[in-house]
PDB file of all heavy atoms in Angstrom:
ATOM      1  N   ASP A1044       0.866  -1.182   0.000  1.00 90.00           N
ATOM      2  CA  ASP A1044       0.000   0.000   0.000  1.00 90.00           C
ATOM      3  C   ASP A1044       0.899   1.227   0.000  1.00 90.00           C
ATOM      4  O   ASP A1044       1.353   1.695   1.045  1.00 90.00           O
ATOM      5  CB  ASP A1044      -0.903  -0.016   1.240  1.00 90.00           C
ATOM      6  CG  ASP A1044      -1.801   1.218   1.313  1.00 90.00           C
ATOM      7  OD1 ASP A1044      -2.019   1.849   0.255  1.00 90.00           O
ATOM      8  OD2 ASP A1044      -2.266   1.547   2.425  1.00 90.00           O
ATOM      9  N   PHE A1045       1.172   1.740  -1.186  1.00 80.00           N
ATOM     10  CA  PHE A1045       2.091   2.874  -1.253  1.00 80.00           C
ATOM     11  C   PHE A1045       1.485   4.106  -1.888  1.00 80.00           C
ATOM     12  O   PHE A1045       2.140   5.141  -1.994  1.00 80.00           O
ATOM     13  CB  PHE A1045       3.372   2.499  -2.009  1.00 80.00           C
ATOM     14  CG  PHE A1045       3.158   2.098  -3.437  1.00 80.00           C
ATOM     15  CD1 PHE A1045       3.140   3.046  -4.442  1.00 80.00           C
ATOM     16  CD2 PHE A1045       2.999   0.771  -3.776  1.00 80.00           C
ATOM     17  CE1 PHE A1045       2.961   2.677  -5.761  1.00 80.00           C
ATOM     18  CE2 PHE A1045       2.814   0.396  -5.087  1.00 80.00           C
ATOM     19  CZ  PHE A1045       2.797   1.335  -6.081  1.00 80.00           C
ATOM     20  N   HIS A1046       0.230   4.044  -2.335  1.00 72.00           N
ATOM     21  CA  HIS A1046      -0.373   5.271  -2.845  1.00 72.00           C
ATOM     22  C   HIS A1046      -1.881   5.115  -2.871  1.00 72.00           C
ATOM     23  O   HIS A1046      -2.427   4.030  -2.702  1.00 72.00           O
ATOM     24  CB  HIS A1046       0.150   5.613  -4.242  1.00 72.00           C
ATOM     25  CG  HIS A1046      -0.437   4.754  -5.326  1.00 72.00           C
ATOM     26  ND1 HIS A1046       0.039   3.516  -5.612  1.00 72.00           N
ATOM     27  CD2 HIS A1046      -1.474   4.976  -6.177  1.00 72.00           C
ATOM     28  CE1 HIS A1046      -0.660   2.986  -6.604  1.00 72.00           C
ATOM     29  NE2 HIS A1046      -1.587   3.851  -6.960  1.00 72.00           N
ATOM     30  N   SER A1047      -2.546   6.231  -3.090  1.00 67.00           N
ATOM     31  CA  SER A1047      -4.002   6.261  -3.175  1.00 67.00           C
ATOM     32  C   SER A1047      -4.397   6.863  -4.518  1.00 67.00           C
ATOM     33  O   SER A1047      -3.836   7.864  -4.945  1.00 67.00           O
ATOM     34  CB  SER A1047      -4.594   7.091  -2.036  1.00 67.00           C
ATOM     35  OG  SER A1047      -5.972   7.326  -2.256  1.00 67.00           O
ATOM     36  N   SER A1048      -5.337   6.224  -5.168  1.00 64.00           N
ATOM     37  CA  SER A1048      -5.789   6.747  -6.450  1.00 64.00           C
ATOM     38  C   SER A1048      -6.635   8.003  -6.291  1.00 64.00           C
ATOM     39  O   SER A1048      -6.834   8.756  -7.237  1.00 64.00           O
ATOM     40  CB  SER A1048      -6.593   5.671  -7.192  1.00 64.00           C
ATOM     41  OG  SER A1048      -7.703   5.260  -6.403  1.00 64.00           O
ATOM     42  N   THR A1049      -7.135   8.260  -5.076  1.00 64.00           N
ATOM     43  CA  THR A1049      -7.973   9.442  -4.844  1.00 64.00           C
ATOM     44  C   THR A1049      -7.250  10.543  -4.088  1.00 64.00           C
ATOM     45  O   THR A1049      -7.758  11.650  -3.991  1.00 64.00           O
ATOM     46  CB  THR A1049      -9.242   9.038  -4.066  1.00 64.00           C
ATOM     47  OG1 THR A1049      -8.857   8.468  -2.801  1.00 64.00           O
ATOM     48  CG2 THR A1049     -10.049   8.008  -4.847  1.00 64.00           C
ATOM     49  N   ASN A1050      -6.068  10.232  -3.538  1.00 64.00           N
ATOM     50  CA  ASN A1050      -5.325  11.204  -2.747  1.00 64.00           C
ATOM     51  C   ASN A1050      -4.205  11.799  -3.604  1.00 64.00           C
ATOM     52  O   ASN A1050      -3.275  11.097  -3.986  1.00 64.00           O
ATOM     53  CB  ASN A1050      -4.735  10.539  -1.501  1.00 64.00           C
ATOM     54  CG  ASN A1050      -4.151  11.569  -0.545  1.00 64.00           C
ATOM     55  OD1 ASN A1050      -3.846  12.695  -0.924  1.00 64.00           O
ATOM     56  ND2 ASN A1050      -3.994  11.169   0.708  1.00 64.00           N
ATOM     57  N   PRO A1051      -4.270  13.080  -3.928  1.00 55.00           N
ATOM     58  CA  PRO A1051      -3.236  13.694  -4.776  1.00 55.00           C
ATOM     59  C   PRO A1051      -1.832  13.581  -4.198  1.00 55.00           C
ATOM     60  O   PRO A1051      -0.855  13.604  -4.935  1.00 55.00           O
ATOM     61  CB  PRO A1051      -3.684  15.154  -4.876  1.00 55.00           C
ATOM     62  CG  PRO A1051      -5.151  15.135  -4.571  1.00 55.00           C
ATOM     63  CD  PRO A1051      -5.328  14.041  -3.562  1.00 55.00           C
ATOM     64  N   SER A1052      -1.723  13.486  -2.876  1.00 63.00           N
ATOM     65  CA  SER A1052      -0.397  13.413  -2.260  1.00 63.00           C
ATOM     66  C   SER A1052       0.242  12.054  -2.446  1.00 63.00           C
ATOM     67  O   SER A1052       1.440  11.887  -2.212  1.00 63.00           O
ATOM     68  CB  SER A1052      -0.496  13.742  -0.773  1.00 63.00           C
ATOM     69  OG  SER A1052      -1.280  12.756  -0.102  1.00 63.00           O
ATOM     70  N   GLY A1053      -0.545  11.052  -2.866  1.00 64.00           N
ATOM     71  CA  GLY A1053      -0.003   9.727  -3.109  1.00 64.00           C
ATOM     72  C   GLY A1053       0.297   8.945  -1.847  1.00 64.00           C
ATOM     73  O   GLY A1053       1.100   8.016  -1.865  1.00 64.00           O
ATOM     74  N   LEU A1054      -0.341   9.265  -0.726  1.00 73.00           N
ATOM     75  CA  LEU A1054      -0.094   8.556   0.519  1.00 73.00           C
ATOM     76  C   LEU A1054      -0.906   7.269   0.581  1.00 73.00           C
ATOM     77  O   LEU A1054      -1.856   7.067  -0.172  1.00 73.00           O
ATOM     78  CB  LEU A1054      -0.448   9.450   1.709  1.00 73.00           C
ATOM     79  CG  LEU A1054       0.345  10.760   1.816  1.00 73.00           C
ATOM     80  CD1 LEU A1054      -0.170  11.594   2.978  1.00 73.00           C
ATOM     81  CD2 LEU A1054       1.832  10.483   1.958  1.00 73.00           C
ATOM     82  N   SER A1055      -0.501   6.365   1.480  1.00 79.00           N
ATOM     83  CA  SER A1055      -1.229   5.117   1.677  1.00 79.00           C
ATOM     84  C   SER A1055      -2.660   5.409   2.086  1.00 79.00           C
ATOM     85  O   SER A1055      -2.943   6.369   2.808  1.00 79.00           O
ATOM     86  CB  SER A1055      -0.540   4.285   2.757  1.00 79.00           C
ATOM     87  OG  SER A1055       0.798   4.002   2.393  1.00 79.00           O
ATOM     88  N   ASP A1056      -3.574   4.548   1.614  1.00 82.00           N
ATOM     89  CA  ASP A1056      -4.988   4.793   1.902  1.00 82.00           C
ATOM     90  C   ASP A1056      -5.666   3.626   2.616  1.00 82.00           C
ATOM     91  O   ASP A1056      -6.886   3.579   2.723  1.00 82.00           O
ATOM     92  CB  ASP A1056      -5.741   5.105   0.609  1.00 82.00           C
ATOM     93  CG  ASP A1056      -5.673   3.947  -0.386  1.00 82.00           C
ATOM     94  OD1 ASP A1056      -4.979   2.947  -0.097  1.00 82.00           O
ATOM     95  OD2 ASP A1056      -6.311   4.047  -1.445  1.00 82.00           O
ATOM     96  N   GLY A1057      -4.892   2.654   3.096  1.00 86.00           N
ATOM     97  CA  GLY A1057      -5.477   1.580   3.893  1.00 86.00           C
ATOM     98  C   GLY A1057      -5.969   0.387   3.094  1.00 86.00           C
ATOM     99  O   GLY A1057      -6.645  -0.489   3.651  1.00 86.00           O
ATOM    100  N   ASP A1058      -5.649   0.313   1.802  1.00 89.00           N
ATOM    101  CA  ASP A1058      -6.012  -0.876   1.027  1.00 89.00           C
ATOM    102  C   ASP A1058      -4.918  -1.175   0.003  1.00 89.00           C
ATOM    103  O   ASP A1058      -3.984  -0.391  -0.179  1.00 89.00           O
ATOM    104  CB  ASP A1058      -7.364  -0.695   0.330  1.00 89.00           C
ATOM    105  CG  ASP A1058      -7.351   0.424  -0.716  1.00 89.00           C
ATOM    106  OD1 ASP A1058      -6.441   0.431  -1.575  1.00 89.00           O
ATOM    107  OD2 ASP A1058      -8.239   1.300  -0.679  1.00 89.00           O
ATOM    108  N   VAL A1059      -5.034  -2.329  -0.617  1.00 91.00           N
ATOM    109  CA  VAL A1059      -4.059  -2.739  -1.633  1.00 91.00           C
ATOM    110  C   VAL A1059      -4.783  -2.981  -2.964  1.00 91.00           C
ATOM    111  O   VAL A1059      -4.505  -3.928  -3.686  1.00 91.00           O
ATOM    112  CB  VAL A1059      -3.300  -4.007  -1.196  1.00 91.00           C
ATOM    113  CG1 VAL A1059      -2.358  -3.683  -0.055  1.00 91.00           C
ATOM    114  CG2 VAL A1059      -4.267  -5.118  -0.795  1.00 91.00           C
ATOM    115  N   LEU A1060      -5.722  -2.077  -3.251  1.00 90.00           N
ATOM    116  CA  LEU A1060      -6.571  -2.229  -4.426  1.00 90.00           C
ATOM    117  C   LEU A1060      -6.206  -1.292  -5.564  1.00 90.00           C
ATOM    118  O   LEU A1060      -6.753  -1.408  -6.657  1.00 90.00           O
ATOM    119  CB  LEU A1060      -8.041  -2.001  -4.041  1.00 90.00           C
ATOM    120  CG  LEU A1060      -8.603  -2.938  -2.964  1.00 90.00           C
ATOM    121  CD1 LEU A1060     -10.018  -2.521  -2.583  1.00 90.00           C
ATOM    122  CD2 LEU A1060      -8.569  -4.374  -3.437  1.00 90.00           C
ATOM    123  N   ASP A1061      -5.291  -0.372  -5.321  1.00 88.00           N
ATOM    124  CA  ASP A1061      -4.928   0.583  -6.358  1.00 88.00           C
ATOM    125  C   ASP A1061      -3.935  -0.039  -7.343  1.00 88.00           C
ATOM    126  O   ASP A1061      -3.431  -1.148  -7.141  1.00 88.00           O
ATOM    127  CB  ASP A1061      -4.342   1.845  -5.721  1.00 88.00           C
ATOM    128  CG  ASP A1061      -5.326   2.487  -4.755  1.00 88.00           C
ATOM    129  OD1 ASP A1061      -6.465   2.745  -5.165  1.00 88.00           O
ATOM    130  OD2 ASP A1061      -4.955   2.698  -3.582  1.00 88.00           O
ATOM    131  N   ALA A1062      -3.658   0.692  -8.388  1.00 86.00           N
ATOM    132  CA  ALA A1062      -2.782   0.174  -9.447  1.00 86.00           C
ATOM    133  C   ALA A1062      -1.402  -0.184  -8.896  1.00 86.00           C
ATOM    134  O   ALA A1062      -0.814   0.564  -8.112  1.00 86.00           O
ATOM    135  CB  ALA A1062      -2.656   1.215 -10.563  1.00 86.00           C
ATOM    136  N   ASN A1063      -0.886  -1.345  -9.316  1.00 90.00           N
ATOM    137  CA  ASN A1063       0.457  -1.815  -8.954  1.00 90.00           C
ATOM    138  C   ASN A1063       0.644  -2.021  -7.453  1.00 90.00           C
ATOM    139  O   ASN A1063       1.769  -1.903  -6.953  1.00 90.00           O
ATOM    140  CB  ASN A1063       1.518  -0.855  -9.491  1.00 90.00           C
ATOM    141  CG  ASN A1063       1.524  -0.780 -10.994  1.00 90.00           C
ATOM    142  OD1 ASN A1063       1.465  -1.797 -11.682  1.00 90.00           O
ATOM    143  ND2 ASN A1063       1.574   0.430 -11.524  1.00 90.00           N
ATOM    144  N   GLU A1064      -0.430  -2.322  -6.748  1.00 92.00           N
ATOM    145  CA  GLU A1064      -0.309  -2.634  -5.319  1.00 92.00           C
ATOM    146  C   GLU A1064      -0.464  -4.135  -5.054  1.00 92.00           C
ATOM    147  O   GLU A1064      -0.056  -4.602  -3.991  1.00 92.00           O
ATOM    148  CB  GLU A1064      -1.358  -1.861  -4.515  1.00 92.00           C
ATOM    149  CG  GLU A1064      -1.074  -0.381  -4.434  1.00 92.00           C
ATOM    150  CD  GLU A1064      -1.988   0.351  -3.470  1.00 92.00           C
ATOM    151  OE1 GLU A1064      -3.079  -0.178  -3.149  1.00 92.00           O
ATOM    152  OE2 GLU A1064      -1.612   1.452  -3.013  1.00 92.00           O
ATOM    153  N   ASP A1065      -1.016  -4.873  -5.988  1.00 96.00           N
ATOM    154  CA  ASP A1065      -1.157  -6.325  -5.872  1.00 96.00           C
ATOM    155  C   ASP A1065      -0.525  -6.929  -7.126  1.00 96.00           C
ATOM    156  O   ASP A1065      -1.094  -6.877  -8.218  1.00 96.00           O
ATOM    157  CB  ASP A1065      -2.644  -6.698  -5.769  1.00 96.00           C
ATOM    158  CG  ASP A1065      -2.850  -8.166  -5.438  1.00 96.00           C
ATOM    159  OD1 ASP A1065      -1.870  -8.942  -5.547  1.00 96.00           O
ATOM    160  OD2 ASP A1065      -3.986  -8.556  -5.107  1.00 96.00           O
ATOM    161  N   ILE A1066       0.683  -7.494  -6.972  1.00 96.00           N
ATOM    162  CA  ILE A1066       1.508  -7.877  -8.120  1.00 96.00           C
ATOM    163  C   ILE A1066       1.873  -9.355  -8.040  1.00 96.00           C
ATOM    164  O   ILE A1066       2.162  -9.877  -6.953  1.00 96.00           O
ATOM    165  CB  ILE A1066       2.784  -7.022  -8.182  1.00 96.00           C
ATOM    166  CG1 ILE A1066       2.418  -5.528  -8.257  1.00 96.00           C
ATOM    167  CG2 ILE A1066       3.655  -7.412  -9.370  1.00 96.00           C
ATOM    168  CD1 ILE A1066       3.614  -4.610  -8.107  1.00 96.00           C
ATOM    169  N   GLU A1067       1.893  -9.984  -9.182  1.00 97.00           N
ATOM    170  CA  GLU A1067       2.283 -11.399  -9.264  1.00 97.00           C
ATOM    171  C   GLU A1067       3.309 -11.583 -10.375  1.00 97.00           C
ATOM    172  O   GLU A1067       3.146 -11.074 -11.482  1.00 97.00           O
ATOM    173  CB  GLU A1067       1.054 -12.264  -9.545  1.00 97.00           C
ATOM    174  CG  GLU A1067       1.370 -13.749  -9.740  1.00 97.00           C
ATOM    175  CD  GLU A1067       0.138 -14.537 -10.149  1.00 97.00           C
ATOM    176  OE1 GLU A1067      -0.675 -14.867  -9.267  1.00 97.00           O
ATOM    177  OE2 GLU A1067      -0.011 -14.800 -11.375  1.00 97.00           O
ATOM    178  N   TYR A1068       4.374 -12.336 -10.066  1.00 97.00           N
ATOM    179  CA  TYR A1068       5.359 -12.747 -11.066  1.00 97.00           C
ATOM    180  C   TYR A1068       5.316 -14.261 -11.188  1.00 97.00           C
ATOM    181  O   TYR A1068       5.296 -14.974 -10.186  1.00 97.00           O
ATOM    182  CB  TYR A1068       6.771 -12.314 -10.668  1.00 97.00           C
ATOM    183  CG  TYR A1068       7.033 -10.840 -10.855  1.00 97.00           C
ATOM    184  CD1 TYR A1068       7.109  -9.980  -9.758  1.00 97.00           C
ATOM    185  CD2 TYR A1068       7.219 -10.302 -12.123  1.00 97.00           C
ATOM    186  CE1 TYR A1068       7.350  -8.628  -9.924  1.00 97.00           C
ATOM    187  CE2 TYR A1068       7.458  -8.950 -12.293  1.00 97.00           C
ATOM    188  CZ  TYR A1068       7.530  -8.125 -11.199  1.00 97.00           C
ATOM    189  OH  TYR A1068       7.761  -6.786 -11.371  1.00 97.00           O
ATOM    190  N   SER A1069       5.301 -14.750 -12.424  1.00 97.00           N
ATOM    191  CA  SER A1069       5.252 -16.192 -12.648  1.00 97.00           C
ATOM    192  C   SER A1069       6.048 -16.547 -13.890  1.00 97.00           C
ATOM    193  O   SER A1069       6.371 -15.686 -14.719  1.00 97.00           O
ATOM    194  CB  SER A1069       3.802 -16.668 -12.807  1.00 97.00           C
ATOM    195  OG  SER A1069       3.194 -16.049 -13.930  1.00 97.00           O
ATOM    196  N   PHE A1070       6.339 -17.831 -14.017  1.00 96.00           N
ATOM    197  CA  PHE A1070       7.134 -18.333 -15.134  1.00 96.00           C
ATOM    198  C   PHE A1070       6.325 -19.359 -15.917  1.00 96.00           C
ATOM    199  O   PHE A1070       5.703 -20.256 -15.337  1.00 96.00           O
ATOM    200  CB  PHE A1070       8.427 -18.969 -14.619  1.00 96.00           C
ATOM    201  CG  PHE A1070       9.258 -19.629 -15.680  1.00 96.00           C
ATOM    202  CD1 PHE A1070       9.669 -18.922 -16.800  1.00 96.00           C
ATOM    203  CD2 PHE A1070       9.634 -20.951 -15.557  1.00 96.00           C
ATOM    204  CE1 PHE A1070      10.436 -19.528 -17.776  1.00 96.00           C
ATOM    205  CE2 PHE A1070      10.401 -21.559 -16.530  1.00 96.00           C
ATOM    206  CZ  PHE A1070      10.806 -20.849 -17.649  1.00 96.00           C
ATOM    207  N   THR A1071       6.325 -19.196 -17.252  1.00 92.00           N
ATOM    208  CA  THR A1071       5.626 -20.131 -18.136  1.00 92.00           C
ATOM    209  C   THR A1071       6.672 -20.894 -18.943  1.00 92.00           C
ATOM    210  O   THR A1071       7.218 -20.366 -19.913  1.00 92.00           O
ATOM    211  CB  THR A1071       4.678 -19.382 -19.091  1.00 92.00           C
ATOM    212  OG1 THR A1071       3.834 -18.517 -18.343  1.00 92.00           O
ATOM    213  CG2 THR A1071       3.817 -20.361 -19.869  1.00 92.00           C
ATOM    214  N   PRO A1072       6.975 -22.152 -18.578  1.00 93.00           N
ATOM    215  CA  PRO A1072       8.014 -22.905 -19.307  1.00 93.00           C
ATOM    216  C   PRO A1072       7.671 -23.148 -20.769  1.00 93.00           C
ATOM    217  O   PRO A1072       8.569 -23.283 -21.601  1.00 93.00           O
ATOM    218  CB  PRO A1072       8.083 -24.233 -18.536  1.00 93.00           C
ATOM    219  CG  PRO A1072       7.493 -23.936 -17.193  1.00 93.00           C
ATOM    220  CD  PRO A1072       6.446 -22.894 -17.425  1.00 93.00           C
ATOM    221  N   ALA A1073       6.376 -23.225 -21.115  1.00 92.00           N
ATOM    222  CA  ALA A1073       5.977 -23.548 -22.480  1.00 92.00           C
ATOM    223  C   ALA A1073       6.534 -22.556 -23.492  1.00 92.00           C
ATOM    224  O   ALA A1073       6.905 -22.941 -24.609  1.00 92.00           O
ATOM    225  CB  ALA A1073       4.453 -23.601 -22.583  1.00 92.00           C
ATOM    226  N   ASP A1074       6.618 -21.282 -23.130  1.00 91.00           N
ATOM    227  CA  ASP A1074       7.151 -20.285 -24.058  1.00 91.00           C
ATOM    228  C   ASP A1074       8.343 -19.519 -23.472  1.00 91.00           C
ATOM    229  O   ASP A1074       8.705 -18.450 -23.960  1.00 91.00           O
ATOM    230  CB  ASP A1074       6.063 -19.298 -24.488  1.00 91.00           C
ATOM    231  CG  ASP A1074       5.422 -18.578 -23.315  1.00 91.00           C
ATOM    232  OD1 ASP A1074       5.853 -18.799 -22.169  1.00 91.00           O
ATOM    233  OD2 ASP A1074       4.480 -17.805 -23.541  1.00 91.00           O
TER     234      ASP A1074
END
């Protein structure tokens, strides 16, 4: 939680729902 989509100051807003706050990295061997 590093920014708020509604707060111009970009402060944490108590959730992890904004852009780039919930991230997944994975590997696909097929390609």
Side-chain angles (χ1 to χ4, degrees):
D1044 178 21
F1045 62 88
H1046 76 278
S1047 169
S1048 58
T1049 60
N1050 189 340
S1052 64
L1054 299 176
S1055 301
D1056 61 356
D1058 64 50
V1059 290
L1060 301 175
D1061 302 307
N1063 297 315
E1064 289 189 340
D1065 189 346
I1066 302 171
E1067 176 186 280
Y1068 285 106
S1069 61
F1070 175 55
T1071 308
D1074 58 3

